Amino acid sequence: YATAATIVDSDGDGLTDAREDTNLSLARDSGETDRLRSDSDGDGTNDGAEVAAGTDPLNPSSRPGARPS
């Protein structure tokens, strides 16, 4: 898994599985995005787009174009 995870993007969000499952445990741990869900926080923006925009893919209030609260 460790080798494949550096290439595979299981959820198609633009982030490799290794980037989302940083400890390669095959489980979603605290601070990791979900390698099997493209939008880990459910805010309507996929994790890859959030990372590229500099927003937090684990915080539904933090998404590209959202006004700070």
Side-chain angles (χ1 to χ4, degrees):
Y1 171 68
T3 301
T6 63
I7 301 165
V8 174
D9 176 8
S10 293
D11 59 8
D13 64 1
L15 302 176
T16 64
D17 288 3
R19 186 148 181 206
E20 297 196 83
D21 182 13
T22 57
N23 63 0
L24 304 173
S25 68
L26 290 171
R28 181 178 175 194
D29 299 304
S30 179
E32 293 180 339
T33 53
D34 192 330
R35 67 183 180 85
L36 301 175
R37 283 184 57 205
S38 62
D39 181 11
S40 294
D41 60 11
D43 65 1
T45 303
N46 78 44
D47 298 340
E50 289 207 48
V51 169
T55 60
D56 183 352
L58 297 173
N59 179 347
S61 297
S62 171
R63 66 184 183 279
R67 293 179 178 257
S69 51

